[in-house]
Amino acid sequence: MRLAVIGVLLLVAGGIAAATGALPEAELFALADRVVPILVFVAAITVVTELASEAGVFLWAGRRLRRWGLGTGLVLWLLLALLAALSTIFLSLDTTAVLLTPVVVTVVRQAGLPPLPFVLTTIWLANTASLLLPVSNLTNLLAQHSLGGLSPAGFAALMWAPAVAGIIVPMALIGLLFRRDLRLRYERTPPSETASPAPERFLLAASGVVLVLLLPLLVSGIPVWIPSTAAAAVLGLLFALRRPGVLTVKLVPWPLLLFASGLFLAMEAFLALGGSALLGTLAGQGENFAELLRLAATGAAGANAVNNLPAYLLAEPLAETPARMAALLIGVNAGPLITPWASLATLLWHDRLMRMKVVISWKGYALAGLIAAPLTVTAAVAALAAAS
């Protein structure tokens, strides 16, 4: 509800700017043309992933990974990290934060392993692994539009090197920090699994098929809102026939949509009033390593100070070239590892942990992030500069 209230307040502020002429009508229509398809995609992919979760897809995957973990914490951690990275890359960081976090907690609890290294891996990769494809992060979808509608393949060609660095560096840090916990062993099939209810086979299989068909369409170059909306409609029809009680208005992330809409409108008004000029001296202008790192650091600092979406929107006019746009995305995607509000995914992740009674110290989280964020951002910018 807090997100919804903030979103409404931002919409009111943006509406006042539009009514008074501070935000010109032409820019308002251009903003709508840009963000409405993005918001449709966010709503549709959330419905898809929520219904897939209800069908048991994520829990099924988690159980298989635990069995494939060979009874070793390290192997299980690597497999869950792979699942978190793939979920983030193809289904977005918010999907990983909302739906995969409970699966990870359940799996490691059944295995009798300490949850901290696993849940920290989940949220770090939810942020840092979201560099590769437009669908991985809302900021990427915005950047794709600014880059002239760059295809998913073209986007991946620009971002592959920093994306690899964004996965390797956090993994290496967690492996080092929690090396003792990851050496622990566990029973591959605990007795508690036999007592848990089995998902309905038809919906599980159908949801799996829909996801398998959807993933290549999301990177095919078709506007992502089209296949995601079609997938949501198919799953909605299947659930209407088999489990209609699941289909409620809560499937659609209304607070997130209100928050994002208000944020887009308010930031567009702020930009129309010259807001980006305030960051110009901090973000630099060139494309060498030092200048790219300067822009990425500006984005990361803004994300941890406020949130990654407004940080991106404010700095976007300063990212005039593909290389500088990539550096900005590194900052606002891989940098939000310090404060809890740096990305919406982090807040959603913490909410899921509280519901499952997993205690996370924000002080400890921030201290670890103060190490991880600069190292990850620097390594990703270095990879970008080397690959350019």
Side-chain angles (χ1 to χ4, degrees), residues 271-325:
L271 290 172
L273 296 172
S276 288
L278 300 174
L279 296 178
T281 56
L282 295 175
Q285 294 181 339
E287 292 191 12
N288 58 44
F289 170 73
E291 291 297 309
L292 293 176
L293 182 59
R294 188 174 169 184
L295 176 56
T298 300
N304 284 289
V306 186
N307 179 267
N308 65 336
L309 271 177
Y312 170 82
L313 292 170
L314 284 173
E316 185 188 60
L318 307 173
E320 310 91 346
T321 66
R324 285 183 62 79
M325 181 63 75

Side-chain angles (χ1 to χ4, degrees), residues 17-193:
T20 58
L23 178 60
E25 185 176 304
E27 294 185 17
L28 184 62
F29 282 111
L31 175 67
D33 180 65
R34 180 183 184 186
V35 304
V36 167
I38 293 173
L39 295 176
V40 171
F41 164 74
V42 170
I45 200 66
T46 301
V47 171
V48 169
T49 50
E50 288 282 0
L51 292 178
S53 180
E54 283 288 340
V57 171
F58 290 95
L59 189 56
W60 178 88
R63 286 175 174 174
R64 293 303 179 279
L65 291 178
R66 190 185 63 242
R67 292 175 184 172
W68 297 339
L70 305 177
T72 303
L74 178 60
V75 177
L76 179 63
W77 172 66
L78 291 172
L79 290 172
L80 287 172
L82 176 63
L83 183 59
L86 292 176
S87 170
T88 299
I89 290 168
F90 290 102
L91 296 175
S92 87
L93 74 167
D94 294 329
T95 294
T96 301
V98 173
L99 299 180
L100 192 58
T101 299
V103 174
V104 170
V105 172
T106 301
V107 168
V108 297
R109 276 180 171 168
Q110 288 182 344
L113 297 173
L116 184 56
F118 296 89
V119 297
L120 188 60
T121 299
T122 302
I123 191 56
W124 276 9
L125 290 183
N127 286 290
T128 64
S130 67
L131 286 167
L132 186 62
L133 295 176
V135 298
S136 308
N137 200 316
L138 194 54
T139 55
N140 296 1
L141 290 170
L142 293 168
Q144 182 187 30
H145 186 278
S146 293
L147 290 168
L150 189 66
S151 70
F155 193 94
L158 174 65
M159 299 300 298
W160 74 267
V164 170
I167 293 173
I168 291 176
V169 173
M171 289 287 292
L173 283 172
I174 291 175
L176 179 64
L177 291 172
F178 297 97
R179 56 191 180 278
R180 292 183 181 177
D181 291 338
L182 296 177
R183 289 175 187 155
L184 297 174
R185 300 189 63 83
Y186 65 93
E187 293 292 332
R188 294 172 67 180
T189 308
S192 59
E193 180 174 305

Side-chain angles (χ1 to χ4, degrees), residues 269-367:
F270 186 65
L271 290 172
L273 296 172
S276 288
L278 300 174
L279 296 178
T281 56
L282 295 175
Q285 294 181 339
E287 292 191 12
N288 58 44
F289 170 73
E291 291 297 309
L292 293 176
L293 182 59
R294 188 174 169 184
L295 176 56
T298 300
N304 284 289
V306 186
N307 179 267
N308 65 336
L309 271 177
Y312 170 82
L313 292 170
L314 284 173
E316 185 188 60
L318 307 173
E320 310 91 346
T321 66
R324 285 183 62 79
M325 181 63 75
L328 175 58
L329 289 176
I330 290 170
V332 298
N333 290 11
L337 303 180
I338 302 170
T339 59
W341 54 80
S343 74
L344 179 62
T346 304
L347 293 173
L348 295 171
W349 166 80
H350 187 252
D351 177 70
R352 288 297 190 272
L353 292 183
M354 287 193 301
R355 292 172 186 267
M356 301 188 76
K357 295 180 170 52
V358 176
V359 178
I360 294 291
S361 163
W362 281 127
K363 180 180 179 181
Y365 179 86
L367 289 174

